[in-house]
Every structure is written in C-alpha cells, then in structure tokens.
Amino acid sequence: MAKVCQLTGKRTRVGNNVSHANNKTKRKFFPNLQTKKFFLESEGVWVRMKVSAKAIRTINKNGFEKTLIASARKGTLSI
C-alpha cells in the first residue's frame, strides 16, 4: 500500500542526505502515517483510515465529519 495520507494527501518526498563534506545522496522523507479507527456518527459505523499525525490533530480539533467534508471539497480525500 502506498505511503499516502487518505485525508491530507501527504506523500513521500525526495531529497538529499548531505554529509559534512557536502556530498549529496538521494533519500526519502516519509510522512508520519498511523492506521486509526474513527467513528462516523451520521452512519453509526467505525472507519479505519491511514492518516498522518497532522490529520489526527486536525480531526481532534474540528471533528471527523467536518474534516472529511473539508478534504472532499479540497480534493485530497482518497478512500
């Protein structure tokens, strides 16, 4: 499965390791993804999603349903 947040769309980024001698080698930066279950109150079901730590903080602040609607409107929602 891809390392992509299902709410925010965060994905693996590519960059460089830089040594003290300023040698550069390619590396990957992975998002901090967690598999978490959220309760969808309108449907009365539990939903398991792979989300980033930032998305979990947003859900705690705004609520799961409001965050789902916002990400669907923004176009980053992938289920």
Side-chain angles (χ1 to χ4, degrees), residues 9 46-47 57 63-65 77:
W46 287 92
V47 179
R57 288 171 54 101
F64 183 54
E65 294 195 36
L77 182 66

Side-chain angles (χ1 to χ4, degrees), residues 8-9 11 16 20 22 28 31 34 38 43 48 53 63-64 68 72 74 77-78:
T8 61
R11 57 182 57 242
N16 290 312
H20 289 288
N22 206 27
K28 292 182 178 180
Q34 310 295 323
F38 299 101
E43 303 286 325
R48 187 182 306 255
F64 183 54
L68 267 180
K74 196 170 162 185
L77 182 66
S78 65

